[in-house]
Amino acid sequence: MKRIKPFVFERNFLILMTGVFINGLGSGIYLVAGMLLVLNLSGSVLYSGFAMFAISSAGALSFLIAPLANYAKYKNGLVYSNLIKAIILFTIPLLNYTIGLNVWYVIILLFITALFTQYTYPIESTILPIIVGKDNVVEANSYLQAIREAMDIVFIAGAGIIITFIGTVPAISITAICILLVTILYAFFNFQQPDISKEKSQSIGSAANFYFIDLRAGFNYIKNSLVPKMIFSLVFINITMVIMTTNLPAFSLIKGHGIEAAYGFYLASMSLGIMIGTIITPKLKHIDFGKLIIISYIGTGILWMGTATLPLIASIILFSIGAISIGILNILVFSSIQKQVETAYIGRVITLLTSAASLGMPVGSLIGGILGETSTPEIPVMICGISMIIFSIFWLSSSALRKLPNIDSVNLFNNSKVNVK
């Protein structure tokens, strides 16, 4: 039996793991309930596009939000931001049972809560080395990632069933309660807090100056690395993925003959595929990175074309298998960053990568909403599958991308080893 590392039983890591678990329950329900609530209030896929636009816009702005974490103690940032999120979400049932809900109010709240998530995520990534030590960062992250993906499978699938019986608004109340519990839990953190520079608090002008210095430092850190050269590919994938996911609520209702639980099943099947990809990645990391991406995403494209055309059960199965490639790509890229980036820059580099990759998502949301409104929801899913094949052909046609070595040999910060033009 493999011995469990001592850091797993450390007080602060147990608090963080428990918080991730409770957040998994709340976010799983919220992910399903939020989009279905917009669809129910508006009766239009176009508004689902607006909702996804709001959420993805927050993701694209994360590179501006992340440096703000440097201006408060990490514990305070986590506690107060989660408390504000909980209060915001509690207004949805409050208004629903009093003056009534407006679809635009819900969309704006989706945007605001997504902004707070962009603030807390880099903090959680940054405190991990403080809690477990730099030598255990990758292994600790694997624990947390496994919890996130496993809980997503259970809670997102369960969310669809819960919403079918109690409705979308009570389900969002459950999410608010979960976030409130996380707020209380994180108040018990006792790790060493970094000192906030007194210079940063002298005036608004000096604080703004330090903010832009921190922001520029993140850009400069990755400027001459391999990271920016792969952003185009990530933007393309995200645009096509959002075109599909914007239509997924309406698509699942059609496939499930009006049963809202079907949406949860599709989201859970994607989480299952991503988790499988996460688990098998160590067995595949010796394969050349370029070849692995080309083969896996051609497979994803074919499978998701089948998702668009086949009945519910077969559609969900193919959707899940197609998502395996996403888990593989996420873990390989994220792990390489964790290994090669200095601890002080991990939060900023991850944020810059994800926010840059999110730049195309608002556009994809609007395109998806328009497509869903003017055609059947199966069309955007089919387009996403075809786009995955086009993405693979692009990599295949580029000798630099096609010949990328295995992930351990790809040096993100040394272009003398890998030169992608």
Side-chain angles (χ1 to χ4, degrees):
M1 183 177 177
K2 189 176 181 180
R3 187 171 64 88
I4 300 176
K5 292 294 184 74
F7 74 81
V8 175
F9 302 103
E10 200 274 329
R11 167 196 170 98
N12 292 299
F13 187 69
L14 287 174
I15 290 174
L16 185 59
M17 277 203 304
T18 307
V20 168
F21 179 88
I22 298 174
N23 261 328
L25 169 60
S27 62
I29 295 175
Y30 175 70
L31 183 62
V32 179
M35 293 299 290
L36 284 176
L37 180 59
V38 170
L39 187 62
N40 291 340
L41 287 173
S42 66
S44 170
V45 177
L46 182 61
Y47 282 86
S48 296
F50 292 146
M52 189 62 72
F53 176 84
I55 295 170
S56 57
S57 294
L61 293 173
S62 61
F63 75 97
L64 294 173
I65 299 168
L68 296 175
N70 295 330
Y71 298 92
K73 290 185 180 294
Y74 294 141
K75 175 181 173 179
N76 293 344
L78 289 173
V79 170
Y80 290 120
S81 58
N82 278 294
L83 178 60
I84 294 171
K85 278 175 65 176
I87 293 171
I88 288 172
L89 290 180
F90 275 125
T91 65
I92 290 180
L94 178 64
L95 292 180
N96 183 67
Y97 298 124
T98 54
I99 63 175
L101 276 174
N102 180 276
V103 65
W104 284 110
Y105 179 78
V106 175
I107 291 173
I108 291 170
L109 286 196
L110 290 175
F111 174 71
I112 294 173
T113 53
L115 284 177
F116 277 102
T117 299
Q118 305 311 318
Y119 176 75
T120 57
Y121 180 72
I123 296 179
E124 291 176 348
S125 298
T126 302
I127 67 172
L128 198 59
I130 299 174
I131 292 174
V132 304
K134 194 167 184 178
D135 292 340
N136 296 312
V137 166
V138 174
E139 196 160 7
N141 181 69
S142 297
Y143 275 98
L144 296 179
Q145 189 66 16
I147 290 173
R148 287 188 181 103
E149 298 300 343
M151 293 306 100
D152 276 353
I153 296 167
V154 176
F155 293 145
I156 290 176
I161 299 172
I162 290 171
I163 292 167
T164 299
F165 285 102
I166 70 173
T168 54
V169 173
I172 289 176
S173 302
I174 295 175
T175 300
I177 293 170
C178 288
I179 295 175
L180 188 60
L181 291 175
V182 171
T183 302
I184 297 170
L185 183 67
Y186 283 171
F188 289 96
F189 272 133
N190 65 353
F191 57 82
Q192 184 65 41
Q193 295 285 309
D195 292 326
I196 306 300
S197 173
K198 293 181 180 180
E199 295 178 4
K200 292 185 179 182
S201 58
Q202 285 179 356
S203 68
I204 294 176
S206 62
N209 184 52
F210 275 103
Y211 168 81
F212 285 108
I213 288 174
D214 286 344
L215 186 62
R216 190 164 55 249
F219 278 108
N220 290 337
Y221 191 85
I222 66 168
K223 182 172 62 177
N224 296 318
S225 74
L226 188 61
V227 176
K229 296 180 174 67
M230 302 181 74
I231 285 177
F232 172 77
S233 299
L234 296 175
V235 169
F236 179 79
I237 284 182
N238 281 348
I239 288 175
T240 58
M241 284 286 292
V242 172
I243 289 173
M244 177 182 68
T245 54
T246 297
N247 287 273
L248 200 57
F251 174 79
S252 59
L253 288 175
I254 290 174
K255 291 289 185 180
H257 303 291
I259 300 174
E260 291 181 326
Y263 180 41
F265 294 151
Y266 271 101
L267 292 176
S269 69
M270 175 177 278
S271 295
L272 176 61
I274 293 173
M275 189 180 76
I276 292 172
T278 301
I279 293 171
I280 67 173
T281 296
K283 305 291 185 182
L284 303 174
K285 66 178 183 179
H286 64 282
I287 301 174
D288 287 351
F289 187 58
K291 294 177 181 176
L292 183 60
I293 294 300
I294 292 167
I295 295 171
S296 62
Y297 275 85
I298 285 178
T300 295
I302 295 171
L303 290 167
W304 282 357
M305 289 167 68
T307 296
T309 56
L310 294 176
L312 179 65
I313 301 300
S315 176
I316 289 175
I317 292 172
L318 294 186
F319 192 58
S320 180
I321 298 173
I324 292 175
S325 62
I326 299 172
I328 294 172
L329 182 63
N330 285 348
I331 292 300
L332 288 180
V333 172
F334 191 71
S335 296
S336 65
I337 289 174
Q338 278 192 314
K339 288 180 180 180
Q340 297 183 39
V341 174
E342 297 172 31
T343 301
Y345 284 90
I346 289 176
R348 269 178 280 186
V349 170
I350 291 173
T351 300
L352 285 171
L353 178 65
T354 54
S355 61
S358 299
L359 289 175
M361 293 175 69
V363 177
S365 303
L366 296 180
I367 294 173
I370 294 170
L371 281 174
E373 191 71 13
T374 57
S375 64
T376 61
E378 291 92 344
I379 298 299
V381 178
M382 178 67 72
I383 288 174
C384 183
I386 295 171
S387 297
M388 294 297 162
I389 297 175
I390 293 172
F391 166 76
S392 296
I393 293 172
F394 170 74
W395 273 60
L396 184 64
S397 64
S398 169
S399 61
L401 294 175
R402 186 176 66 247
K403 294 178 181 178
L404 282 175
N406 66 72
I407 198 65
D408 288 332
S409 300
V410 174
N411 194 322
L412 297 177
F413 297 92
N414 184 357
N415 287 331
S416 63
K417 281 189 176 184
V418 179
N419 183 26
V420 182
K421 295 181 179 179

